[in-house]
Amino acid sequence: MAHIKIANLRKEFGVGDDKVVALQNVNLDIEGHVFVSIVGPSGCGKSTLLNILSGIETPSSGTVDITQDRHDANPGYVFQAARLLPWRSVMDNLLFVQPDPDAPEARERCQRYLDMVHLGDKGDKFPGELSGGMQQRVGIARAFAVEPDVLFMDEPFSHLDAITARSLRRELHDMWQATGKTILFVTHDVGEAVELSSRILVFAKGGRLEDDITVDMPFPRDAADENVAVAKAHVLKKFEDLDLVAT
Amino acid sequence: MTAVQERQEQPGKSAEEERLEAELRREKQRKWFWRILGYIVVLGVWELSSGWVLEENLLPGPIRIIQTFPEIVATGRFFSSFGATLTRIIVGFGIALILGSAIGLLTQIKWFENFFRDFQTVGLTSPGLVWALVGLIIWGFQPMGWIFPIVMVTFALVSVNIAEGVRSLPKDLIDMAKAFGTPQHRRQREIVIPHLAPFIFTAVRFGFSIGWKVTVLTEVFSSNEGIGFEMRVSSQLFQLDVFFTWVLSFFVFALFLEKVVLQYFERRFFHWRQEVSTA
Ligand SMILES: Nc1ncnc2c1ncn2[C@@H]1O[C@H](COP(=O)(O)OP(=O)(O)OP(=O)(O)O)[C@@H](O)[C@H]1O
Ligand SMILES: [Mg+2]
């Protein structure tokens, strides 16, 4: 089980007139087997938060701390853009981030997750030979294949067609249920957030955490279900109250 | 482009596919037609000029040169001279490649970039002749006499290209690797080197072609072997057929290196790029 603690986090980019405050006054405690969605308008610091948690960016002030059972474990990260090595095959892209790429289990594991994203026969292709949505799915398989305790996902399904997205949402949900992972999931889609999450964080422009909603409904949640629709309306209402609706 | 299509060839071809393939074939034929015509015209004009425009003694035609070629090979000097020149360029450019790569990589450090900036420009712009003369004056016929000019003329080409590659390292991929905790040596091998490969390649391609010129130049001045030396001797003896045979062999060899050897490696390294040049 993992425990993520964020205290008084602030992140600024640039200086003088170019200064942008991406995150401010963020305090969070995320523990154990939870699926946390992060929603908010474009530019409110969602990707920045994941980048800080994964160690790509450093905070301007405040602290983040991730403790895990396996102390040497690394989080998995599905980036907003696929970020694949163009000069390596799909399979080699997955192996690249494996702790021990030469182990036969590593290859098996990677193949299993490629199958999961319906790209089992594309292992030999180069990323440039795949469509944008397929590349995104390779990025998803890559993150799953390290079987991390903590998984960061930045709008992983936004470039996919509705049917593929639904199938992958189900896979993600099943995997989360089966493994007890901690998942931080950025999305623009409130419906998706309500369907999948145990907790929804609402960020506002300027990188403030505006709301922290616990979604306490049994899984699986069907978008057509009345309770789900009510919950979705509730979150959307918060968006409106906070004046977060994209204009 | 064609390579990919060939790989995916399937038994049942549609009319559209066949039309596209026929189009590609025609395109290829046209390309070769013009290329071969280029040779015919240039060699033809040359052959005709020899005797018509200039005396055959002054400008031996291609047929004469083809006849001279076996004579030179028979003396045994052909391969030893090519070998000598090739050794020089490999040694000289090899040193330049190592030196230039080191400098190029070091330009990641800000102070070094500024420290070295203008010397790179000097290296890029100064004529080979100057260095060839300097080498001759200082070292005469010693190895440094030819190593020095080759290195001076080519190292900056390498360092500038590598520096360019270093500046454009893909931060998004490196960040990705960091987030997954990928070890440093794997990042270097799988991200940094493949990214730098085309820059190194460009450096080698241009460095080699410029290195050739300087090598031959130094041989003309300060050597008693190699292609440049042979050119000097034959021109001094007024054996212009021999002279032109050396010149032409040199062209053919340079063309072979560029079109066959370098392109072979380029295809091997960059087969992931679908648009490998088909020239
Ligand atoms: N490396 C950077 N340099 C400068 N500014 C940055 C950088 N990264 C992010 N920013 C700025 O920080 C703010 C937050 O960016 P971030 O990418 O986290 O937004 P986001 O919530 O993920 O938006 P989106 O939904 O569009 O992906 C933006 O104003 C952005 O311009
Ligand atoms: Mg983002």
Side-chain angles (χ1 to χ4, degrees):
Chain A
M1 289 282 185
H3 190 169
I4 301 172
K5 275 179 280 191
I6 300 172
N8 298 318
L9 177 63
R10 180 180 178 88
K11 179 68 184 176
E12 296 171 0
F13 290 104
V15 287
D17 287 346
D18 295 331
K19 191 164 107 174
V20 176
V21 179
L23 290 167
Q24 53 187 313
N25 282 326
V26 181
N27 289 286
L28 273 171
D29 201 302
I30 296 167
E31 188 172 10
H33 184 213
V34 285
F35 192 118
V36 182
S37 281
I38 301 170
V39 296
S42 186
C44 69
K46 305 183 293 293
S47 299
T48 304
L49 180 64
L50 296 192
N51 286 343
I52 291 174
L53 287 171
S54 63
I56 294 174
E57 304 276 4
T58 48
S60 302
S61 64
T63 55
V64 297
D65 181 39
I66 303 180
T67 48
Q68 297 175 79
D69 295 343
R70 295 184 296 160
H71 64 93
D72 60 336
N74 257 286
Y77 198 151
V78 181
F79 296 89
Q80 198 163 358
R83 300 203 191 185
L84 305 174
L85 313 181
W87 40 74
R88 290 285 178 262
S89 70
V90 164
M91 177 53 88
D92 287 345
N93 262 282
L94 265 61
L95 289 170
F96 174 66
V97 299
Q98 288 288 314
D100 181 6
D102 297 321
E105 312 88 78
R107 190 169 281 270
E108 263 167 49
R109 196 164 43 236
C110 292
Q111 185 60 48
R112 203 162 62 239
Y113 286 102
L114 274 183
D115 289 338
M116 188 199 87
V117 297
H118 316 299
L119 293 174
D121 58 339
K122 297 280 191 267
D124 296 334
K125 296 269 187 225
F126 289 104
E129 296 176 277
L130 305 183
S131 74
M134 287 169 161
Q135 292 179 23
Q136 186 64 17
R137 272 141 63 194
V138 175
I140 294 170
R142 175 176 64 191
F144 280 23
V146 296
E147 302 191 327
D149 289 345
V150 180
L151 181 58
F152 303 125
M153 305 181 82
D154 199 347
E155 300 187 36
F157 305 141
S158 58
H159 302 298
L160 305 180
D161 64 274
I163 297 183
T164 311
R166 191 165 57 180
S167 133
L168 289 180
R169 246 175 242 134
R170 203 163 294 150
E171 295 280 1
L172 173 63
H173 173 77
D174 291 349
M175 189 191 70
W176 171 63
Q177 291 266 289
T179 56
K181 285 186 204 310
T182 309
I183 297 181
L184 265 69
F185 183 91
V186 170
T187 178
H188 271 135
D189 181 343
V190 172
E192 184 175 70
V194 170
E195 208 179 303
L196 293 170
S197 318
S198 40
R199 187 171 166 191
I200 299 177
L201 306 175
V202 183
F203 277 81
K205 269 240 146 58
R208 279 190 199 81
L209 175 58
E210 288 290 354
D211 211 342
D212 187 344
I213 305 163
T214 303
V215 188
D216 200 4
M217 279 188 295
F219 293 103
R221 297 174 190 158
D222 186 348
D225 187 282
E226 197 186 332
N227 288 331
V228 173
V230 169
K232 188 177 158 185
H234 175 74
V235 177
L236 278 173
K237 180 79 173 38
K238 295 230 165 174
F239 260 62
E240 271 166 28
D241 293 348
L242 293 167
D243 201 17
L244 299 180
V245 181
T247 43
Chain B
M1 218 154 87
T2 48
V4 171
Q5 265 151 1
E6 274 158 29
R7 228 189 302 140
Q8 294 179 336
E9 208 163 87
Q10 274 156 15
K13 271 186 232 162
S14 69
E16 174 67 8
E17 263 176 298
E18 292 199 356
R19 201 188 57 73
L20 270 174
E21 269 172 25
E23 177 67 29
L24 280 173
R25 250 196 320 275
R26 265 201 303 281
E27 181 81 23
K28 211 166 185 169
Q29 281 165 359
R30 264 199 294 273
K31 203 166 77 189
W32 278 103
F33 170 78
W34 286 108
R35 210 166 169 183
I36 291 167
L37 193 70
Y39 278 94
I40 293 174
V41 169
V42 169
L43 292 176
V45 168
W46 180 4
E47 182 66 43
L48 287 178
S49 310
S50 159
W52 281 64
V53 182
L54 282 168
E55 269 179 64
E56 215 190 323
N57 281 344
L58 285 177
L59 181 68
I63 294 175
R64 181 70 199 283
I65 283 168
I66 289 166
Q67 288 163 346
T68 314
F69 184 71
E71 291 167 23
I72 297 184
V73 174
T75 64
R77 296 245 297 282
F78 184 79
F79 293 105
S80 65
S81 297
F82 257 92
T85 304
L86 207 56
T87 308
R88 285 169 180 229
I89 187 166
I90 287 171
V91 171
F93 186 57
I95 294 172
L97 199 60
I98 294 167
L99 190 71
S101 302
I103 294 171
L105 289 173
L106 281 172
T107 55
Q108 288 177 80
I109 308 167
K110 201 89 228 130
W111 70 259
F112 189 82
E113 191 185 356
N114 292 322
F115 174 80
F116 208 74
R117 171 167 287 161
D118 293 336
F119 299 102
Q120 236 167 12
T121 314
V122 170
L124 277 182
T125 49
S126 59
L129 184 63
V130 171
W131 300 119
L133 285 173
V134 172
L136 175 66
I137 293 164
I138 303 181
W139 290 285
F141 279 33
Q142 289 169 10
M144 266 315 263
W146 51 265
I147 292 179
F148 175 75
I150 302 174
V151 171
M152 288 312 285
V153 169
T154 52
F155 85 90
L157 214 78
V158 178
S159 66
V160 164
N161 268 291
I162 305 254
E164 189 69 33
V166 166
R167 260 195 294 278
S168 62
L169 278 173
K171 186 177 181 305
D172 58 338
L173 295 181
I174 292 171
D175 282 349
M176 179 276 289
K178 263 191 222 161
F180 280 100
T182 311
Q184 179 68 26
H185 65 88
R186 209 189 300 166
R187 273 185 242 167
Q188 293 290 327
R189 200 183 58 219
E190 303 284 316
I191 300 179
V192 176
I193 292 175
H195 170 81
L196 290 182
F199 294 92
I200 297 171
F201 227 87
T202 309
V204 169
R205 169 168 278 181
F206 286 107
F208 224 80
S209 64
I210 292 177
W212 263 118
K213 297 177 202 167
V214 189
T215 308
V216 172
L217 201 62
T218 60
E219 285 172 347
V220 169
F221 288 128
S222 52
S223 172
N224 41 26
E225 57 176 356
I227 304 174
F229 168 73
E230 300 288 351
M231 288 178 187
R232 183 182 79 207
V233 171
S234 51
S235 67
Q236 279 169 351
L237 297 176
F238 213 66
Q239 295 173 328
L240 290 187
D241 48 353
V242 177
F243 175 78
F244 275 107
T245 306
W246 282 109
V247 173
L248 200 69
S249 315
F250 177 73
F251 286 165
V252 171
F253 189 72
L255 209 63
F256 167 79
L257 270 186
E258 164 74 25
K259 293 289 166 184
V260 181
V261 179
L262 278 176
Q263 285 204 358
Y264 167 78
F265 283 113
E266 198 164 1
R267 279 200 193 138
R268 277 203 49 176
F269 283 127
F270 305 123
H271 68 123
W272 61 274
R273 283 191 195 168
Q274 296 183 21
E275 65 286 335
V276 253
S277 108
T278 45

